Structure formats: C-alpha cells, structure tokens
Amino acid sequence: MQLKVSTQLLYSVALLLATLFTTAAQAAPAKEIFWEDLIPEGHVQISNQDAASHEGAEQNWVQPDLDAPVVKALDGKEVSLPGFVVPLEGDSEVITEFLLVPYFGACIHVPPPPPNQIVHVKIKGGVPIESLYDAITVTGTMQVATWKGEIAQTGYMMQAKGVAPFEL
C-alpha cells in the first residue's frame, strides 16, 4: 500500500510541475520588437525611396532589395511588433490575412519596403480593423520565411495571436 501512495504522490507532483511549467511558458510576455530589429546587425539598409524604381504608371513601383537579409534568431519567437495594415484577405467585418508594414501607405501609395521590412500576417478567425490609417500592434509567433504576393515579397511571416491599437 505504501508503494501505491508514493506512486500516486509522485504522479501528482509531476503533474503539478508540468502544469506550472506550461503555465509559466504561456504567461511569458512576447518580446516587444521594432522594425530596426528585423535588420541584421551590421547590414546597411538601402533607403526605400532611393532604391525604388518607378516605371511608368503610379502603380508600377518595383520593390527594392529583394535579397535584404533577415534576422534568423527571430524564427519561432513570440514577438509584439507595431505597424500598419495592408489588407490581403477578409471582408467588410474582419481581415484574416494582411501585410504589416512600418509606415502608412507602404505597398499601396509608395513602393514596398525591402522584404525584411514587411511581415505577412495570418490570424485565425480574423480581426476587425477600424481604420487603415491607425497603427496597430500585432503579437504572435514570428517565422523567418518568404512570402510572395502581387504587391510585395516578405522576409517574415507571423501567425498572430492578437492585434491591438498601437499605444506609445
């Protein structure tokens, strides 16, 4: 009987520890990063306006520096990054897929920034975006991965867990 109680006690302690470690891992806040954190240390980023070429009509902007390097250490990290939305998928109520860019109008009114300054974001269930003029903060798991669409190529992807208005 003593052995059975000890086994149950051991099992209970192991279950408690596993629960505590899981809760602690989930409770760890996402690392707040900014756009300069997406550029590898020592890399001299080409100015978007200087590097972009304009061929004819306003909508024919060509994205500069498609080989811009990324920060591989961010792969798989939980991060929080502010920026502006360029909608890709969704409806009038919510968007489920978008590009997160460092400044308003990127990819729409001006040439897209280099791929290491664009994050392709997906959010399960979607999120309402009240105004594309307002900055937001996206929290989720960052992936170092290329995504190519009609308007831009990205160097990062993120599975978002939350979106909130940007606060200083």
Side-chain angles (χ1 to χ4, degrees), residues 79-102:
V79 300
S80 181
L81 178 67
F84 292 88
V85 170
V86 177
L88 296 174
E89 294 288 331
D91 56 32
S92 62
E93 300 294 319
V94 297
I95 59 172
T96 56
E97 186 176 345
F98 58 93
L99 299 180
L100 188 66
V101 295

Side-chain angles (χ1 to χ4, degrees), residues 15-158:
L15 185 60
L16 177 64
L17 287 173
T19 302
L20 288 173
F21 284 124
T22 302
T23 303
Q26 291 172 348
K31 179 181 180 185
E32 185 178 21
I33 63 171
F34 299 96
W35 292 96
E36 59 270 13
D37 297 322
L38 302 181
I39 301 169
E41 189 174 327
H43 174 71
V44 177
Q45 190 78 16
I46 298 171
S47 166
N48 189 46
Q49 296 303 319
D50 294 341
S53 62
H54 183 257
E55 300 172 3
E58 186 176 332
Q59 296 302 313
N60 288 336
W61 290 103
V62 177
Q63 186 177 14
D65 202 8
L66 292 178
D67 294 326
V70 294
V71 178
K72 294 181 180 175
L74 289 172
D75 196 46
K77 301 292 184 196
E78 291 294 313
V79 300
S80 181
L81 178 67
F84 292 88
V85 170
V86 177
L88 296 174
E89 294 288 331
D91 56 32
S92 62
E93 300 294 319
V94 297
I95 59 172
T96 56
E97 186 176 345
F98 58 93
L99 299 180
L100 188 66
V101 295
Y103 50 87
F104 175 75
C107 302
I108 298 174
H109 303 296
V110 297
N116 65 1
Q117 294 291 283
I118 306 175
V119 180
H120 176 244
V121 179
K122 289 187 176 184
I123 185 162
K124 196 173 197 171
V127 63
I129 300 293
E130 293 181 24
S131 172
L132 298 180
Y133 295 102
D134 297 333
I136 61 168
T137 299
V138 180
T139 302
T141 305
M142 183 70 82
Q143 297 172 341
V144 174
T146 300
W147 176 87
K148 293 180 183 179
E150 289 181 23
I151 59 176
Q153 175 178 312
T154 72
Y156 298 96
M157 297 175 70
M158 182 188 292

